[in-house]
């Protein structure tokens, strides 16, 4: 039996003011997969992520979760949807005035429906999933860049979402740390049976985690398929990206 998509994006147009960034894109996200959204800087990846998590409204087109258009959701329906979504920001976006444990616990305090006495225990459990079991007492300033990203991962899964979005999870990190984060993403997906959307341009990470890839170029989708298919794609911009061929205009 064919899986029905969790997310259906159709003819999506979006931008800022009069500037159009995404030009009528359509794609699906299926249960349990890791979909990687890639492309060169300025291609519209971050704009798409903002649209998918409700931080930006489209100019036209639709985004449907489980068949329901988010533009047509009332406040209660949208709130219910956001409880099913986790978001890991590019820089971790931790609150410096809170400990690591308090950062992870924050979504549980704000949105969770659980006994307050259990929250520290549950926060510790989430930290254990990212290899930071005994780090709850630390302040963010004491963390390395990779550790901050891992805390961000733990906070993104704090209230057991169905879908997790990652914004450039390995950007700016050394290859060993980045590989460790890729493994954590795969482990979390397996242990929690999550669906994931990963926005990145890091080739090694793409090859490590992606089940399927969509590639944006100047606001349009120029590829949608598996890693095996992308290796044989004949679109010149796809080949340029994966073979790291510089633009001819660059001296």
């Amino acid at each position: 039996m064919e899986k029905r998509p969790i997310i259906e994006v159709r003819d999506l147009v979006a931008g800022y003011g009069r500037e159009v960034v995404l030009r009528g894109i359509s794609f699906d996200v299926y249960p349990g997969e890791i979909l990687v959204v890639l492309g060169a800087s300025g291609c519209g990846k971050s704009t798409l992520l903002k649209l998918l998590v409700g931080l930006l409204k489209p100019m036209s087109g639709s985004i449907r979760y489980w068949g329901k258009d988010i533009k047509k959701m009332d406040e209660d329906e949208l709130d219910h949807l956001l409880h099913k979504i986790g978001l890991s920001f590019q820089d971790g976006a931790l609150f410096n005035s809170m400990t690591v444990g308090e950062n992870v616990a924050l979504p549980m305090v704000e949105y969770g429906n659980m006994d307050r006495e259990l929250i520290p225990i549950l926060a510790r459990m989430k930290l254990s999933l990212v290899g930071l079991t005994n780090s709850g007492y630390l302040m963010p300033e004491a963390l390395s860049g990779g550790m901050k990203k891992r805390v961000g991962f733990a906070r993104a899964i704090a209230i057991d979402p169905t879908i997790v979005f990652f914004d450039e999870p390995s950007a700016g990190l050394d290859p060993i740390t980045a590989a460790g984060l890729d493994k954590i993403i795969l482990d979390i997906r397996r242990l929690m049976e999550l669906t994931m959307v990963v926005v990145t341009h890091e080739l090694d990470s793409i090859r490590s985690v992606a089940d399927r890839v969509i590639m944006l170029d100047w606001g349009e989708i120029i590829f949608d398929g598996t890693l095996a298919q992308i290796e044989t794609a004949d679109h010149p911009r796809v080949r340029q990206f994966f073979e790291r061929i510089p633009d001819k205009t660059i001296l």
Side-chain angles (χ1 to χ4, degrees):
M1 184 177 178
E2 186 177 353
K3 287 184 178 181
R4 296 187 61 183
I6 289 180
I7 307 173
E8 299 170 88
V9 176
R10 294 292 180 270
D11 304 318
L12 188 64
V13 177
Y16 307 92
R18 295 182 178 180
E19 180 187 5
V20 177
V21 178
L22 297 174
R23 298 173 173 83
I25 66 171
S26 299
F27 65 94
D28 296 323
V29 181
Y30 292 91
E33 78 170 343
I34 298 178
L35 175 70
V36 169
V37 180
L38 61 89
S41 298
C43 70
K45 301 189 301 296
S46 295
T47 298
L48 176 58
L49 183 61
K50 291 175 183 177
L51 289 157
L52 291 172
V53 299
L55 296 176
L56 182 67
K57 293 183 179 180
M59 295 174 173
S60 63
S62 65
I63 302 171
R64 290 184 172 87
Y65 281 84
W66 290 281
K68 182 75 173 181
D69 190 338
I70 61 173
K71 287 193 299 185
K72 298 178 181 178
M73 292 181 181
D74 60 30
E75 188 173 336
D76 288 340
E77 288 174 318
L78 186 58
D79 186 63
H80 182 67
L81 170 64
L82 293 177
H83 280 64
K84 296 182 178 181
I85 291 174
L87 174 60
S88 177
F89 296 92
Q90 180 173 345
D91 60 358
L94 305 182
F95 292 97
N96 291 327
S97 60
M98 295 181 174
T99 66
V100 164
E102 289 168 342
N103 267 280
V104 175
L106 185 60
M108 303 180 198
V109 174
E110 295 293 326
Y111 306 113
N113 182 20
M114 60 191 72
D115 189 325
R116 290 298 178 98
E117 294 182 358
L118 291 177
I119 289 177
I121 299 171
L122 293 171
R124 182 181 172 89
M125 290 174 61
K126 300 304 182 184
L127 283 168
S128 72
L129 291 177
V130 299
L132 294 174
T133 305
N134 299 314
S135 301
Y137 69 95
L138 295 174
M139 300 300 290
E141 64 187 20
L143 305 180
S144 67
M147 291 174 71
K148 288 179 181 178
K149 298 251 191 181
R150 284 193 275 163
V151 176
F153 287 9
R155 188 173 60 187
I157 60 173
I159 55 174
D160 296 328
T162 302
I163 308 164
V164 180
F165 296 90
F166 295 90
D167 184 13
E168 300 284 3
S170 57
L173 300 176
D174 66 85
I176 295 174
T177 301
L181 291 179
D182 292 341
K183 183 179 184 303
I184 289 171
I185 288 173
L186 292 171
D187 288 344
I188 290 173
R189 191 265 297 264
R190 175 177 55 83
L191 292 169
M192 299 183 68
E193 298 182 345
L194 295 172
T195 301
M196 295 178 168
V197 177
V198 180
V199 173
T200 186
H201 61 267
E202 303 286 341
L203 288 176
D204 289 339
S205 291
I206 292 165
R207 292 186 170 111
S208 293
V209 306
D211 293 317
R212 190 163 59 89
V213 168
I214 62 171
M215 182 170 179
L216 295 173
D217 189 53
W218 293 102
E220 298 180 350
I221 293 177
I222 60 172
F223 179 86
D224 182 346
T226 64
L227 280 175
Q229 291 170 329
I230 208 167
E231 295 293 347
T232 59
D234 58 5
H235 192 290
R237 288 290 286 173
V238 175
R239 296 266 48 84
Q240 182 182 26
F241 185 90
F242 274 83
E243 295 173 13
R244 302 182 75 244
I245 302 170
D247 283 330
K248 294 180 180 180
T249 56
I250 298 177
L251 297 178

